[in-house]
Amino acid sequence: MKGDNLFGLKLNREIFLQFSRLIREKSGVFFDLSKMYFLETRLKRRMWERGISDFISYYDLLKTDYSDREFKELLNEITIHETSFFRIRSQFQTFSDFVLPELIKAKVDSKNPYLSFLSAGCSTGEEAYSIAISVLEKIKFPSMSMDFNVLGIDISIDTIEKARAGLYGENNVSSLSEDVLVRYFERVDGNYKIKDFIKNRVLFKYANIYSDMDMSGIGGFDVVFCRYVLIYFDDSSKRKALANLKKVLNPGGYLFVAPSESYNVPDSF
Ligand SMILES: C[S@@+](CC[C@H](N)C(=O)[O-])C[C@H]1O[C@@H](n2cnc3c(N)ncnc32)[C@H](O)[C@@H]1O
């Protein structure tokens, strides 16, 4: 069968650069030459699935598939999804102690008691649910007088499905206190499932922060978390993604990036 004889196939520099350019153009994610072997193995996995036995045919498929279906499958393979609940505790502390009280007060004063949060590059959902738990810890009883929602977006379809399921193993929740586990999770077959009252406030969907079209479909966020996403972008892609994030953030809103990414954030923030 086509695709069976991929074993000895090697990506050369020229074809690697073609793929790298295409991936950057469509997603912002940048592969330099040090990632050649990584990309080669991931491309071969997809080629095997599709029964394709040479890189150029696979490249042509990506270029001509206007639905981007195969490109999304490839993105599942090449994106890094590492995440955890309350990743970088100090940021969540700042979010709870400083950002949330200020926002809640401003919303109450303006008689617009609704808060909206974005987890951009949400991976399997831990960040979005950590935001929701932090907010629930503050406002205790969401109601007409103060309510909120969280949107998680990602370009990896597999992770979005996992995020929607909200089902986590023992290892994923090991950093959470017993208190938090009891309040926000139920036990399902030895795993931990996010309870429905949180899930109802957290939505997940496919969207690419690098795409003007995807980002024009969302907006009005009081706080955007976009952490450990921009590190995979080159400088010009970072600028474009940050400009898109600025557009979806309410005036006076907050952006959280990972500590190593902060030097990329322009003064306009
Ligand atoms: C390393 S994870 C970080 C998850 C979470 N933000 C955190 O800090 O724990 C990076 C996520 O960003 C997603 N991603 C990469 N490029 C993206 C893009 N252009 N638009 C949206 N999500 C993207 C990846 O699929 C991956 O799930």
Side-chain angles (χ1 to χ4, degrees):
M1 184 191 134
K2 241 183 148 194
D4 278 355
N5 52 344
L6 291 169
F7 183 66
L9 200 64
K10 288 266 164 284
L11 196 57
N12 68 34
R13 185 190 155 102
E14 192 191 332
I15 300 174
F16 166 82
L17 291 175
Q18 263 177 268
F19 277 107
S20 156
R21 223 172 289 131
L22 182 66
I23 293 166
R24 185 194 160 280
E25 267 166 33
K26 282 180 181 267
S27 69
V29 176
F30 178 65
F31 287 94
D32 65 21
L33 279 165
S34 68
K35 305 276 170 32
M36 186 133 99
Y37 179 69
F38 172 85
L39 190 61
E40 178 185 297
T41 54
R42 299 317 198 265
L43 289 172
K44 278 159 81 170
R45 268 192 217 165
R46 286 307 310 155
M47 288 159 61
W48 189 85
E49 286 285 337
R50 297 299 302 246
I52 293 175
S53 54
D54 67 286
F55 290 117
I56 295 296
S57 303
Y58 185 65
Y59 179 82
D60 289 343
L61 171 69
L62 292 176
K63 275 292 250 197
T64 53
D65 171 14
Y66 293 109
S67 70
D68 269 348
R69 240 184 77 201
E70 180 53 34
F71 188 71
K72 288 177 184 169
E73 293 292 346
L74 178 63
L75 284 176
N76 271 330
E77 295 284 352
I78 60 176
T79 40
I80 308 293
H81 304 131
E82 188 188 332
T83 185
S84 55
F85 283 102
F86 294 96
R87 188 176 194 181
I88 318 181
R89 283 268 173 188
S90 56
Q91 289 196 328
F92 276 96
Q93 204 67 52
T94 304
F95 178 58
S96 292
D97 293 350
F98 173 69
V99 175
L100 279 177
E102 183 192 298
L103 285 175
I104 291 170
K105 182 172 182 319
K107 292 281 169 172
V108 170
D109 290 350
S110 73
K111 302 198 170 43
N112 169 25
Y114 207 86
L115 291 163
S116 202
F117 304 96
L118 177 69
S119 165
C122 61
S123 189
T124 39
E126 287 89 330
E127 183 175 78
Y129 290 125
S130 302
I131 296 169
I133 291 172
S134 304
V135 180
L136 282 164
E137 289 287 295
K138 274 278 169 239
I139 63 176
K140 299 287 182 212
F141 305 106
S143 66
M144 295 284 282
S145 57
M146 182 50 71
D147 209 342
F148 74 98
N149 69 7
V150 183
L151 176 67
I153 59 170
D154 204 288
I155 46 169
S156 159
I157 295 161
D158 285 0
T159 62
I160 293 167
E161 275 166 16
K162 287 189 186 137
R164 281 189 186 133
L167 189 63
Y168 299 97
E170 190 100 39
N171 283 344
N172 303 115
V173 300
S174 58
S175 66
L176 299 180
S177 70
E178 195 53 35
D179 229 30
V180 166
L181 285 179
V182 169
R183 270 204 294 262
Y184 301 107
F185 292 80
E186 54 188 306
R187 293 302 298 266
V188 177
D189 300 332
N191 292 314
Y192 292 79
K193 190 161 193 260
I194 295 280
K195 286 185 180 169
D196 283 347
F197 73 93
I198 308 197
K199 259 182 153 195
N200 296 340
R201 291 187 163 74
V202 186
L203 282 179
F204 294 97
K205 73 171 204 168
Y206 173 93
N208 180 350
I209 61 167
Y210 188 69
S211 154
D212 296 346
M213 197 170 80
D214 286 1
M215 295 303 279
S216 67
I218 58 175
F221 298 103
D222 298 298
V223 183
V224 171
F225 282 71
C226 184
R227 303 178 312 153
Y228 298 106
V229 181
L230 299 171
I231 38 168
Y232 302 107
F233 287 25
D234 66 353
D235 283 346
S236 77
S237 309
K238 277 176 196 159
R239 276 195 293 278
K240 182 168 173 206
L242 282 163
N244 280 341
L245 293 176
K246 179 114 176 48
K247 284 186 205 145
V248 302
L249 191 60
N250 284 339
Y254 287 88
L255 170 73
F256 282 85
V257 294
S260 55
E261 296 163 329
S262 59
Y263 68 93
N264 294 302
V265 179
D267 291 347
S268 58
F269 275 93

